[in-house]
Amino acid sequence: MSLEEKLDKIRSPKLQNQRETAIVLSAVEDTLKEQHHDQTPTGYLAALLALLSQANVPYKGVKNNDLASSVVYLLDLVIRHVPAALLRSKFSQILTCIAPSLTGEDATAPLLRSSIGSLESLLVAQDGAAWTLPQTEISPRRAVAGLLALASDQRPKVRKRAQDAITHILQHPPPTPSLDHPVADMCAETAMRTLSDALVASGASKRKSKDAMQERSQPGLIHALHLVKAISSASGGWPSRKIEPLCEVLMGVSRSNNEYLTMAAFEVFEVMFQGMADQFSSSKLPRLMEALSELKPSQNDSQLLPPWIAVISRGYDVSAQIDPEGTFHKLPELFGKVSEFLSSASHEIRVSASECLISFLVNCVPDSVIAEPSIIDEKTLGKVARSTQDLLNVRFQAAWMEVFNVEAALFEALRWRAIPLARSILTTIGELRASDSFNGKKEADMVIGKAIQSMGPEAVLGMLPLNLVRSQKGQPGRAWLLPLLRDNVINTNLAHFRSEFVPLSETMYQRVIDHGESEKTMEVKIFETIVHQTWALFPGYANLPLDLVQAFDQEFAELLSNLLYSQPELRPDICRGLQTLVESSQELLAVDAEEHEILMRSRVTKSSAQSNLDHLASFSGNLLAVLFNVYTQTLPQFRGYILQCINAYLSITKEKELLETFVRVTEMLENALVETATQPQSTKQHSKESSSNQMPPTTHTLMDLVITLSIYLPLATFAQLFTLTSRILPLTDDPQLQKKAYKLLPRLATSDNGALALGNRNRDLQSLFLSSAATASPPARRDRLLSLATAVDHLASSDLHFIPSILSEAVIATKEVNEKARSAAFDLLVLMGRKMEAGGTIEQSRIPHMDSAAPTVEASLEEFFTMVSAGLVGETPHMVSASITALTRILYEFHRKLPHNVVEDLVSTLSLFLTSNNREIVRSCLGFTKVIVVSLPTEVVLPRLEALVPGLLGWSKEHKSRFRAKVKHIVERMIRRFGIQEVERWCPEDGKKLVQNIRKTKERKKRKRSEAAEEGLVDDEERKISRKGRFESEYEEAIYDSDDDEESDVASNDDDRAPKAKMNTQKAATTGRGTYITELPDDEPLDLLSASALSHISTSKPVQFKTRSKTKAKVDLDGKLVFGNANGKRNADDDADQMAVDPEEEPGDGTLEGGINAYVEAIRGRDAVQRGRGGRLKFSNKRNRGGDEMEVDEVEAVENRTQKNTRGSFVKARGHESNGSTRRSMTDRGGRDGARNSLVKKRFDPKTQRKGLGVQKVKGGRVEKTSASRR
């Protein structure tokens, strides 16, 4: 950004704190104009320095802090553009003016930051002669000393700005023959002194105080490390003469238990190594590595040894970048030194040593050594391999898990060179893996897998044979190698698969056949498993084979074809292998890399990959014929892999063979269509009702093949393709075939020829789509919309009349039940809008049902919105709702590109639909309201709140509360954006309770969060978890997302149909636990005076159960209750009804008191078992009149009962409140046999009931509470 652009931003300030700076700039410019000076950087500098001298007092400090801050801020901007010669000549004068701002005791942080920036630019401009002046004079060295003092300031922004300035100064040294800046030694000495003093002070404070928090917070030491890091990050790096003492101090810091200090020390080493990675500073690296080697800690120092190993590892990584060959030849010696630490008793030391060895193998073995090794290189590799082999000795047995990681890294580093060098390692690990007592099988499998990738399966099986066919004594079978080979075989010889595994598969399969049709034994199942595991290796062998041209011949192709026909269970692996043969070579050809890099990675050149594809193309015709036949014989749910394999071979097939294949398939499809058309309706209906285990119609299969072929066909065949499509689309009796035909156009658009054909034949497609609109079946709706989007995308600017022709279909589709169809409709609307935005002409006379004299209009976004808005006057609510939904989507997409008046008119028009009586329209209008609240500018929405807020709150009180949660959420979004005062201003009186509830809920949540944060119960990182990926599009996020986790509370609080549990915030005095009140459904308050109130109070959180709906009691013609079914038997429902007890009368109601009462009743109650004379059990024959009860909802059933019970039993009727209504419980016991008899008639008088205060009868016998009872 130029100086003028920076000053322009200051001239028009947007913040309050920038206005003072703008005033100062205006005064400076006015002064320059009055004195007839140009507004150049030099002129600005002179004026600002004069003004700064008025704000500062030399050698005393700042006189006017506000003025000085503004002037120095401008000076920081200007001085960077002043010529360096002028800054060198006026150094003393400028430094004298700036010094009070740097040294003043009352200097603020903004003033200091700007002063540091000005001083930085001044020092960078100085030459070598200026840097030779002593620090006692007014010189650059004296200014740097001031910066070093500020680099340890307690204010973080000041400290960071000073450290950045020091780094920038050291990165721009004056032209001198030295590597380091003239002032680098002084900076290093000061930083070292500061670090040493801080380290001593930290040790003293640690001895005095053993507070853990004080030990963790050591700001002085961390600030000193940051200063050292800033100096080390300069281009010249840390001065060479100061490297040894710095390393010693940093290793001392690394010994600390404070992980922050250890991390800061490592960051310094990392910065030092990064600074030495270039050739300019690389001469310092040997001295640094020598100093680190001399600081080697004790063998068993578990605190200091791991960091030292990590620093050594990083140092040799940088050394390998500077001198690859020299570092590689040091590997044997380095391996010997570091591997000794693997015998340590400390787990941390062993892990650090293994990671260091892995780093050596990954970073210090150059590719040239693997590609073309010299004799010395081979000897070095051999030494490294022998050192790694020695790690498998018993001496390092405790570290074998770490050693296995080193062995795996060795195989990865040596690649194919590991065949002669690491054979003994693989043999040893294979023997360990075969031992039943070995516990590290997982780690051993990992090493063997790396060996398979590097050495190849042929070399691995040569040392670890499978021994599955002819196993000999003393040679165990290694079937466990087959899964390892499956996961790791790649880039090897395909001929080995033919010679090793094809015979193995044939032998095992023959044993399965020899078993016959009898029941399979475990041995036969093992043979089948081996056959499957053998062919599961084929995709790995097919991944970029080294000998494809020689190994893949006619005999092998015939073998694969026969297996595809005869063994369906092997088809997935064979098809995946055939597909990999093609795609692996294609991927190699698409790689943009140097030839030697490709050769090192895969040992196959691009020319070899092209030869492989040409060779496979010679077999593609026959293979495609086989795959087509197999595809027709496979059920639809298992065809996916076959189609992918067909697609791969179509991509390499020659054009002549493609045309022949296409002609054969289309002829078969046309014949199948004719046969299907001549079939009777009963046969078609039977085929539709066929199960999923039956083959689909031939037309479906052939259409799949045509779609797959389409993108590889030449332009000459597209006429036949479109003719075939136009023949299928009108077919209404086969929706699935119609759906497949619609899939053809999006598939064509993915190829160059297909896109060209779609553009050339677009008008024919338009006619086809318009004529087939009436015959489109619901299953094909989504694919039709995708096809329409393809046609719209390829529309010419003169054919935009097609958009209004299909617009109504796209609008209606936004209300589809299928989510994918709705998404396709939204995408189509957006695509239409972009097409209209691009411009063109709309010939309205060509639109169906339009007058031929209709004028031609220009395409624009405004015109598109006008078209969609026409649906607002639709005859059906469904059309109006769909139009509102469509407008919502396109307004969200294009609101920034629409004129302000269009947006205002649209918002005002659609806001009127909030007053509609149709819920479908209102539901769409609520979505529109949320979009405008979330996305539109404030100046558009604020004037509409007067109409929006009352309209929204009116639907929050709708009697079934369908929109209550949605309305509440929209009001919340309004409050977040516009403030609660603005929303309350337009809120009607009966709706202010909702706004107040939102405010209180938000305040309560905020208060709880702050309390939890103070107590340390909430992690700040957990609150910052990204919400990304929850929605498929930004539009869905705007519609459905809530920017606050209070949304969950809103949803739960607004669901009136679910029982709610509220927690009492006061803790119990005795137990310290919370008390919960389980409220009744339908917001019925709990009657705390009721005897059943205790059953709704619990010290544990209640579990919500589904409430069982009440059923009417069964009565006969005389009004008597009927129990059981018509045949006199009772069912489960009857028993369940009898278990509905009165919580007042029965113990065991689920509470603690009820449980105690149930136990007492069981041991001491009237029906309890008693013991008589001699300890014999004694049972009571007396009947409990308060026993089994049944709930009855209708009082009329009671009023029709008879007066007396001839057996002397009676009815005890009671009314009690449950779930907001009063149920009546009746008891019937009678006779010696307990048979149910007729019940006596007894009317309920609410006035006589103890619980019935304030209850009244209503129609139907139900009882409602009055306001008195609620209180």
Side-chain angles (χ1 to χ4, degrees):
M1 187 181 294
S2 65
L3 176 62
E4 189 60 31
E5 291 174 343
K6 295 177 182 178
L7 296 178
D8 284 338
K9 293 181 67 176
I10 296 175
R11 294 186 185 106
S12 55
K14 296 182 180 179
L15 300 178
Q16 183 68 28
N17 57 358
Q18 295 178 346
R19 294 182 179 177
E20 182 73 22
T21 307
I23 294 172
V24 172
L25 178 61
S26 176
V28 169
E29 291 177 343
D30 292 342
T31 302
L32 291 176
K33 289 180 182 178
E34 291 175 0
Q35 297 178 359
H36 305 288
H37 292 300
D38 296 333
Q39 294 181 0
T40 60
T42 304
Y44 280 117
L45 177 64
L48 290 172
L49 289 176
L51 195 57
L52 184 60
S53 62
Q54 299 176 12
N56 292 340
V57 179
Y59 308 107
K60 290 185 179 182
V62 182
K63 182 170 60 176
N64 189 337
N65 209 332
D66 294 337
L67 178 60
S69 299
S70 301
V71 173
V72 176
Y73 179 79
L74 293 172
L75 183 63
D76 186 18
L77 297 180
V78 170
I79 198 171
R80 303 173 189 178
H81 303 273
V82 175
L86 179 62
L87 295 179
R88 286 195 292 269
S89 62
K90 300 293 183 180
F91 174 79
S92 300
Q93 180 183 352
I94 298 174
L95 183 60
T96 304
C97 292
I98 299 176
S101 301
L102 290 167
T103 58
E105 295 181 358
D106 54 348
T108 60
L111 177 60
L112 281 174
R113 292 202 305 270
S114 300
S115 302
I116 292 171
S118 303
L119 183 58
E120 173 190 343
S121 303
L122 181 63
L123 292 174
V124 168
Q126 303 308 305
D127 54 9
W131 287 107
T132 58
L133 296 175
Q135 187 176 343
T136 56
E137 301 179 6
I138 300 179
S139 62
R141 285 180 175 271
R142 187 170 183 177
V144 171
L147 284 178
L148 289 171
L150 290 172
S152 300
D153 194 272
Q154 296 300 319
R155 289 164 287 189
K157 292 185 178 181
V158 175
R159 184 173 63 250
K160 183 66 169 60
R161 185 67 185 89
Q163 291 172 1
D164 292 342
I166 292 172
T167 302
H168 188 250
I169 292 169
L170 295 178
Q171 286 176 347
H172 294 82
T176 58
S178 175
L179 293 176
D180 300 328
H181 196 283
V183 82
D185 287 341
M186 187 188 82
C187 294
E189 290 176 0
T190 305
M192 281 290 300
R193 185 167 56 252
T194 305
L195 181 59
S196 301
D197 294 344
L199 192 59
V200 172
S202 175
S205 62
K206 190 185 301 184
R207 288 190 295 269
K208 291 180 181 179
S209 175
K210 296 185 178 181
D211 187 7
M213 291 301 295
Q214 184 176 354
E215 183 180 351
R216 289 176 63 88
S217 59
Q218 301 177 17
L221 193 54
I222 294 178
H223 297 167
L225 284 171
H226 287 167
L227 177 58
V228 173
K229 180 181 175 182
I231 297 172
S232 301
S233 61
S235 58
W238 192 263
S240 304
R241 295 186 297 274
K242 308 294 181 181
I243 288 179
E244 291 86 350
L246 175 63
C247 293
E248 186 174 356
V249 174
L250 290 178
M251 294 305 296
V253 174
S254 302
R255 190 187 293 269
S256 172
N257 293 329
N258 191 333
E259 62 271 18
Y260 298 109
L261 290 178
T262 305
M263 189 181 304
F266 279 138
E267 288 177 356
V268 174
F269 278 118
E270 180 69 22
V271 168
M272 292 174 65
F273 286 131
Q274 287 178 355
M276 297 176 184
D278 57 357
Q279 295 295 331
F280 182 74
S281 304
S282 60
S283 59
K284 299 180 182 180
L285 184 61
R287 190 166 185 173
L288 175 59
M289 298 306 299
E290 182 180 353
L292 289 172
S293 300
E294 293 175 356
L295 293 173
K296 177 182 175 182
S298 173
Q299 181 96 10
N300 297 319
D301 192 344
S302 60
Q303 280 190 337
L304 197 55
L305 197 54
W308 181 84
I309 293 174
V311 172
I312 289 292
S313 171
R314 177 61 179 139
Y316 280 102
D317 180 14
V318 176
S319 177
Q321 299 175 24
I322 299 172
D323 184 15
E325 294 290 338
T327 307
F328 169 69
H329 292 303
K330 294 179 183 178
L331 269 186
E333 180 184 357
L334 295 174
F335 255 78
K337 290 182 179 180
V338 178
S339 59
E340 294 296 327
F341 299 124
L342 289 172
S343 61
S344 174
S346 172
H347 177 70
E348 290 79 7
I349 295 177
R350 296 199 302 268
V351 171
S352 299
S354 64
E355 291 177 351
C356 181
L357 294 177
I358 293 171
S359 176
F360 288 161
L361 292 170
V362 171
N363 301 314
C364 301
V365 180
D367 291 341
S368 59
V369 172
I370 303 299
E372 298 176 358
S374 62
I375 297 176
I376 300 177
D377 294 340
E378 290 180 351
K379 291 181 179 179
T380 304
L381 289 175
K383 292 178 181 179
V384 172
R386 284 191 295 272
S387 299
T388 312
Q389 167 68 24
D390 293 340
L391 297 179
L392 295 173
N393 293 336
V394 181
R395 176 188 173 191
F396 302 102
Q397 186 172 4
W400 269 4
M401 298 302 104
E402 290 81 17
V403 167
F404 282 161
N405 294 329
V406 178
E407 307 291 356
L410 177 69
F411 282 112
E412 282 187 310
L414 297 182
R415 282 169 273 194
W416 63 88
R417 299 293 176 188
I419 295 177
L421 298 174
R423 296 175 63 91
S424 58
I425 296 175
L426 180 61
T427 305
T428 303
I429 294 178
E431 292 173 355
L432 290 172
R433 172 63 175 81
S435 176
D436 294 334
S437 60
F438 183 64
N439 295 326
K441 287 184 171 58
K442 181 179 179 181
E443 290 77 10
D445 287 346
M446 182 263 297
V447 178
I448 296 173
K450 297 298 182 182
I452 293 171
Q453 294 178 12
S454 304
M455 304 170 68
E458 186 174 1
V460 172
L461 293 178
M463 290 174 276
L464 302 174
L466 292 173
N467 296 329
L468 295 179
V469 179
R470 295 185 181 88
S471 58
Q472 299 179 3
K473 188 176 181 180
Q475 295 183 356
R478 296 186 177 89
W480 49 267
L481 272 175
L482 290 175
L484 292 178
L485 290 167
R486 177 198 62 203
D487 297 335
N488 295 284
V489 169
I490 186 175
N491 193 211
T492 186
N493 294 316
L494 184 61
H496 180 254
F497 178 81
R498 294 187 59 184
S499 62
E500 178 76 18
F501 291 103
V502 171
L504 175 63
S505 172
E506 293 174 350
T507 303
M508 295 298 171
Y509 188 67
Q510 186 62 42
R511 292 181 182 179
V512 175
I513 294 176
D514 294 342
H515 184 73
E517 299 294 333
S518 57
E519 184 179 357
K520 293 181 180 180
T521 63
M522 181 59 67
E523 188 178 18
V524 173
K525 293 180 180 179
I526 291 175
F527 293 153
E528 290 181 342
T529 303
I530 292 177
V531 172
H532 295 160
Q533 288 182 338
T534 300
W535 280 100
L537 305 178
F538 179 52
Y541 277 93
N543 194 342
L544 214 60
L546 303 176
D547 58 346
L548 187 144
V549 177
Q550 296 79 21
F552 195 91
D553 53 11
Q554 185 66 30
E555 179 184 356
F556 189 57
E558 291 176 357
L559 171 65
L560 297 177
S561 301
N562 293 332
L563 289 175
L564 285 172
Y565 281 123
S566 60
Q567 299 190 39
E569 64 274 6
L570 299 181
R571 287 175 185 172
D573 293 321
I574 295 175
C575 288
R576 193 161 61 249
L578 289 171
Q579 179 184 350
T580 306
L581 284 172
V582 176
E583 292 182 349
S584 59
S585 296
Q586 290 176 336
E587 290 173 0
L588 182 64
L589 290 174
V591 171
D592 186 14
E594 298 293 336
E595 192 70 24
H596 70 276
E597 295 180 4
I598 297 176
L599 191 61
M600 285 298 301
R601 186 187 307 172
S602 59
R603 290 187 289 171
V604 177
T605 62
K606 287 190 175 183
S607 58
S608 300
Q610 187 60 51
S611 301
N612 293 342
L613 291 178
D614 295 339
H615 180 72
L616 291 173
S618 62
F619 294 93
S620 62
N622 295 329
L623 285 175
L624 283 173
V626 173
L627 291 171
F628 283 174
N629 293 332
V630 172
Y631 185 81
T632 58
Q633 300 170 9
T634 308
L635 292 174
Q637 57 266 33
F638 305 114
R639 286 177 169 180
Y641 58 89
I642 303 177
L643 208 59
Q644 293 175 3
C645 186
I646 291 173
N647 193 48
Y649 279 87
L650 286 173
S651 64
I652 62 172
T653 305
K654 297 178 182 179
E655 184 176 326
K656 181 180 178 181
E657 295 180 356
L658 275 176
L659 289 175
E660 293 175 356
T661 305
F662 175 70
V663 170
R664 289 198 300 269
V665 173
T666 50
E667 288 178 355
M668 295 171 62
L669 179 57
E670 290 174 354
N671 295 334
L673 288 173
V674 173
E675 293 177 3
T676 304
T678 57
Q679 286 180 355
Q681 189 65 27
S682 59
T683 306
K684 294 180 181 180
Q685 186 67 24
H686 177 71
S687 62
K688 290 181 182 179
E689 297 174 355
S690 60
S691 65
S692 59
N693 292 327
Q694 294 183 2
M695 298 299 296
T698 307
T699 53
H700 294 187
T701 302
L702 294 173
M703 193 64 196
D704 287 338
L705 297 177
V706 169
I707 294 172
T708 308
L709 276 165
S710 59
I711 63 173
Y712 303 107
L713 295 174
L715 280 173
T717 60
F718 283 91
Q720 189 175 358
L721 266 181
F722 290 139
T723 303
L724 189 64
T725 305
S726 62
R727 183 176 176 182
I728 295 175
L729 289 185
L731 300 179
T732 58
D733 54 351
D734 195 346
Q736 291 300 322
L737 183 61
Q738 190 184 81
K739 182 177 180 179
K740 292 179 183 296
Y742 278 119
K743 288 183 177 180
L744 181 60
L745 291 183
R747 168 83 171 172
L748 285 177
T750 59
S751 67
D752 296 335
N753 287 340
L756 185 61
L758 288 174
N760 295 337
R761 296 182 173 272
N762 200 277
R763 294 199 173 185
D764 298 336
L765 288 175
Q766 296 173 28
S767 303
L768 177 61
F769 280 127
L770 294 176
S771 61
S772 60
T775 59
S777 57
R781 187 76 62 193
R782 170 180 174 266
D783 295 287
R784 175 177 169 84
L785 291 169
L786 294 176
S787 298
L788 288 172
T790 304
V792 170
D793 193 26
H794 292 82
L795 276 180
S797 59
S798 58
D799 291 336
L800 295 183
H801 65 277
F802 182 63
I803 291 179
S805 302
I806 61 172
L807 184 58
S808 59
E809 181 178 358
V811 170
I812 288 292
T814 59
K815 302 288 289 184
E816 283 285 336
V817 177
N818 188 294
E819 181 182 357
K820 293 182 179 179
R822 292 198 306 272
S823 178
F826 287 138
D827 293 341
L828 177 57
L829 286 169
V830 172
L831 183 61
M832 288 177 177
R834 290 173 180 164
K835 205 71 180 178
M836 294 283 287
E837 182 188 6
T841 57
I842 303 175
E843 299 180 21
Q844 299 190 70
S845 58
R846 298 173 62 182
I847 302 174
H849 310 296
M850 286 289 287
D851 189 2
S852 58
T856 300
V857 297
E858 293 294 327
S860 63
L861 270 180
E862 294 87 338
E863 183 66 23
F864 181 60
F865 274 81
T866 303
M867 295 176 183
V868 181
S869 302
L872 296 176
V873 296
E875 297 179 355
T876 62
H878 188 73
M879 183 62 193
V880 176
S881 175
S883 300
I884 296 174
T885 304
L887 285 169
T888 303
R889 179 65 183 93
I890 60 177
L891 179 65
Y892 178 81
E893 187 72 24
F894 301 109
H895 68 272
R896 294 184 181 87
K897 302 177 181 179
L898 285 173
H900 192 269
N901 60 335
V902 174
V903 176
E904 284 189 339
D905 293 344
L906 188 62
V907 171
S908 60
T909 301
L910 292 184
S911 300
L912 299 176
F913 286 93
L914 278 175
T915 60
S916 173
N917 294 326
N918 187 277
R919 292 189 181 91
E920 185 178 8
I921 296 176
V922 172
R923 183 179 290 107
S924 299
C925 200
L926 289 177
F928 174 80
T929 305
K930 182 174 181 182
V931 165
I932 65 175
V933 168
V934 170
S935 59
L936 291 189
T938 307
E939 58 270 14
V940 177
V941 186
L942 269 178
R944 306 295 170 191
L945 291 182
E946 182 180 1
L948 288 175
V949 173
L952 283 173
L953 295 177
W955 283 101
S956 67
K957 299 184 293 293
E958 192 249 351
H959 71 286
K960 289 190 177 181
S961 299
R962 288 187 175 93
F963 304 133
R964 187 174 180 181
K966 186 174 290 189
V967 168
K968 188 172 184 179
H969 175 54
I970 296 174
V971 174
E972 278 188 334
R973 300 298 292 261
M974 286 182 175
I975 292 173
R976 291 185 203 134
R977 190 173 185 194
F978 308 114
I980 192 170
Q981 293 81 8
E982 191 65 32
V983 176
E984 265 189 331
R985 176 185 175 190
W986 307 112
C987 184
E989 287 297 328
D990 55 351
K992 288 186 177 180
K993 291 183 180 180
L994 177 64
V995 178
Q996 293 300 325
N997 174 262
I998 294 172
R999 180 183 59 80
K1000 291 179 181 179
T1001 302
K1002 192 171 183 179
E1003 291 175 354
R1004 183 167 59 252
K1005 294 287 290 184
K1006 186 177 180 180
R1007 185 171 60 253
K1008 288 182 179 180
R1009 284 179 186 170
S1010 60
E1011 292 174 356
E1014 291 175 359
E1015 297 175 3
L1017 300 178
V1018 180
D1019 189 1
D1020 292 338
E1021 295 299 326
E1022 294 180 0
R1023 288 194 242 169
K1024 297 178 182 178
I1025 295 177
S1026 174
R1027 301 165 61 89
K1028 201 172 182 180
R1030 291 180 57 199
F1031 302 97
E1032 294 184 358
S1033 66
E1034 294 181 358
Y1035 172 71
E1036 291 185 3
E1037 185 173 0
I1039 287 289
Y1040 305 115
D1041 189 26
S1042 172
D1043 290 338
D1044 196 346
D1045 52 5
E1046 295 171 7
E1047 179 65 22
S1048 59
D1049 298 334
V1050 174
S1052 62
N1053 291 337
D1054 284 333
D1055 193 356
D1056 293 338
R1057 293 169 292 181
K1060 295 178 287 185
K1062 293 184 179 180
M1063 176 181 176
N1064 189 350
T1065 56
Q1066 296 180 351
K1067 296 183 178 180
T1070 56
T1071 63
R1073 299 172 58 187
T1075 303
Y1076 294 82
I1077 298 177
T1078 305
E1079 290 192 356
L1080 302 175
D1082 299 328
D1083 269 349
E1084 187 69 14
L1086 181 64
D1087 186 3
L1088 297 177
L1089 298 178
S1090 171
S1092 63
L1094 189 61
S1095 64
H1096 297 281
I1097 301 175
S1098 174
T1099 56
S1100 60
K1101 190 172 184 178
V1103 181
Q1104 297 179 356
F1105 296 96
K1106 294 183 178 179
T1107 57
R1108 179 167 50 85
S1109 59
K1110 297 181 292 185
T1111 57
K1112 292 185 178 181
K1114 299 178 182 178
V1115 295
D1116 58 9
L1117 296 176
D1118 297 329
K1120 298 178 181 180
L1121 290 175
V1122 177
F1123 298 91
N1125 298 327
N1127 54 8
K1129 297 181 179 180
R1130 298 173 63 194
N1131 53 25
D1133 294 334
D1134 297 329
D1135 294 336
D1137 287 341
Q1138 288 192 359
M1139 294 303 295
V1141 297
D1142 188 344
E1144 282 185 19
E1145 297 293 331
E1146 289 291 337
D1149 55 4
T1151 64
L1152 178 62
E1153 293 79 359
I1156 295 173
N1157 294 339
Y1159 176 74
V1160 173
E1161 182 73 15
I1163 63 175
R1164 297 183 180 178
R1166 182 179 302 176
D1167 296 331
V1169 178
Q1170 300 178 1
R1171 292 187 181 272
R1173 184 179 300 177
R1176 296 180 181 179
L1177 295 178
K1178 182 180 178 181
F1179 297 89
S1180 174
N1181 291 328
K1182 296 179 181 180
R1183 295 293 179 184
N1184 182 6
R1185 296 180 179 179
D1188 296 338
E1189 296 179 352
M1190 179 175 178
E1191 295 180 355
V1192 183
D1193 288 334
E1194 298 293 337
V1195 175
E1196 285 81 4
V1198 181
E1199 294 177 347
N1200 292 331
R1201 295 171 187 164
T1202 57
Q1203 297 271 345
K1204 299 284 185 179
N1205 188 334
T1206 57
R1207 301 261 177 136
S1209 64
F1210 65 94
V1211 176
K1212 183 179 180 181
R1214 236 175 355 266
H1216 68 276
E1217 178 187 343
S1218 176
N1219 293 336
S1221 63
T1222 300
R1223 296 180 178 177
R1224 298 194 174 178
S1225 301
M1226 304 192 66
T1227 305
D1228 180 23
R1229 294 272 188 173
R1232 288 165 297 177
D1233 55 358
R1236 292 179 175 82
N1237 299 310
S1238 60
L1239 304 176
V1240 298
K1241 175 182 178 184
K1242 187 172 182 179
R1243 292 183 179 273
F1244 288 107
D1245 186 3
K1247 298 181 180 179
T1248 64
Q1249 304 300 318
R1250 186 177 66 85
K1251 286 183 57 181
L1253 289 176
V1255 296
Q1256 293 180 351
K1257 287 185 183 178
V1258 297
K1259 186 178 180 180
R1262 293 186 299 276
V1263 176
E1264 288 187 350
K1265 278 195 168 186
T1266 63
S1267 58
S1269 66
R1270 294 180 184 272
R1271 290 192 296 268

